Amino acid sequence: NPNPNPNTDPDPDPDPDPDPNQVCQTAERAMPCRSNVQLLPLLEALGGEVAVDRLLELADDERQRVLELGGEDPSPRLLKALCARSYPSEREERRGGAEREPIEINMLQAGFKPRDEPNLAKGIAALMSDRIKRLRLGSFMIEDSTHVMGVADPTGSLLPDTICVVRKGEFMCADKEVLLYRSPGQHPGDVRKVRLVPPPDELQRALGSLNKRDSAVIFPIVGARSLADQMAGGDLDGDTFSVIWARASGAVRARPDG
């Protein structure tokens, strides 16, 4: 039907040239992953006594780090490491970004001492209590690991069940078996044993020069089933994954597709 009023647009478009690309989050975070109540039982079931003993060692290391904060001159770097999260909290996800660091870190960096500043001492005591509570719930740092965003191999040069890892602009050039996990997977098949490989030449050329804000685990795009999908139905639209090459991972047996 013709427009009865030629001076009006029957279907006005308020944004004639919208940008289809929207940034949800950036891939610059790369930190050691932390265990959780879903991951621990899986590692225990798949790795047996060897994995359990190593996990207990890691938990005790975390306890010792927390207790060090109770000294007269606690390290701001240690406090910052203990407060870092691998997985964003619900509050962070709602706000669309990371929460600010505890003010106690800034106070320690500025030279304040807990023995001279009651508010600082009170804040550190509260943080210690919170970390001990988290430790009892199974949350502790797993050394020799990283937690980064997953992306697809743009070249198709990675083989099935192999991955590449970039941490702060640097490729991990080791060639070894590692564990791959996506929180909050609860099935043994959600822990995958894959091969960490140096980047193929084609992939390295495609990515070009990287900087310190670039961190990711690169997944292959070949194979019968997406590797990310094998971990609790994950995908590569912003999901983050834990890559673990700690001694506890060596005892974990490979599982068939979950």
Side-chain angles (χ1 to χ4, degrees), residues 44-83:
E44 292 176 7
L46 297 173
E49 293 184 3
V50 175
V52 171
D53 290 343
R54 179 53 181 156
L55 291 171
L56 289 175
E57 291 177 10
L58 292 173
D60 188 64
D61 291 343
E62 179 93 344
R63 183 181 66 86
Q64 293 295 337
R65 285 191 291 266
V66 173
L67 294 179
E68 286 179 22
L69 292 177
E72 293 187 359
D73 191 16
S75 165
R77 179 176 297 181
L78 175 60
L79 181 58
K80 186 173 183 177
L82 289 171
C83 292

Side-chain angles (χ1 to χ4, degrees), residues 10-244:
D11 186 20
D13 186 355
D15 189 0
D17 188 21
D19 185 354
N21 300 314
Q22 296 182 4
V23 177
C24 297
Q25 60 176 315
T26 59
E28 60 190 70
R29 298 181 66 180
M31 61 186 69
C33 73
R34 299 188 69 85
S35 61
N36 56 36
V37 294
Q38 293 89 12
L39 177 59
L40 282 181
L42 300 181
L43 294 179
E44 292 176 7
L46 297 173
E49 293 184 3
V50 175
V52 171
D53 290 343
R54 179 53 181 156
L55 291 171
L56 289 175
E57 291 177 10
L58 292 173
D60 188 64
D61 291 343
E62 179 93 344
R63 183 181 66 86
Q64 293 295 337
R65 285 191 291 266
V66 173
L67 294 179
E68 286 179 22
L69 292 177
E72 293 187 359
D73 191 16
S75 165
R77 179 176 297 181
L78 175 60
L79 181 58
K80 186 173 183 177
L82 289 171
C83 292
R85 292 190 180 96
S86 293
Y87 315 105
S89 66
E90 292 182 3
R91 183 180 178 188
E92 286 178 323
E93 291 178 338
R94 288 197 304 268
R95 295 176 59 181
E99 295 184 42
R100 292 184 178 180
E101 292 179 345
I103 193 173
E104 290 79 9
I105 296 176
N106 296 331
M107 295 180 69
L108 289 175
Q109 291 174 334
F112 289 95
K113 304 295 182 183
R115 64 175 180 270
D116 301 324
E117 179 52 61
N119 287 331
L120 176 58
K122 183 178 179 180
I124 291 178
L127 289 170
M128 290 176 62
S129 176
D130 176 71
R131 266 44 197 178
I132 290 294
K133 183 185 299 183
R134 291 174 183 269
L135 182 58
R136 290 173 178 170
L137 295 175
S139 174
F140 52 85
M141 185 175 69
I142 300 179
E143 296 179 356
D144 297 332
S145 68
T146 190
H147 188 81
V148 288
M149 184 184 297
V151 299
D153 171 18
T155 66
S157 57
L158 283 176
L159 299 177
D161 294 324
T162 64
I163 60 171
C164 284
V165 174
V166 180
R167 290 194 300 170
K168 299 180 179 179
E170 297 288 338
F171 275 105
M172 292 184 61
C173 292
D175 187 344
K176 57 186 175 184
E177 285 189 330
V178 298
L179 297 182
L180 196 59
Y181 172 74
R182 172 183 170 271
S183 180
Q186 299 181 357
H187 187 276
D190 294 332
V191 178
R192 313 304 303 177
K193 180 170 272 191
V194 298
R195 194 85 191 171
L196 172 65
V197 298
D201 293 340
E202 188 177 353
L203 175 60
Q204 206 158 12
R205 287 195 301 268
L207 295 181
S209 178
L210 302 174
N211 62 56
K212 293 184 177 180
R213 297 175 68 88
D214 294 326
S215 298
V217 51
I218 304 174
F219 284 78
I221 60 172
V222 296
R225 182 183 174 192
S226 165
L227 182 57
D229 182 60
Q230 296 177 38
M231 292 171 284
D235 51 40
L236 302 178
D237 64 353
D239 288 4
T240 55
F241 299 83
S242 295
V243 184
I244 305 171

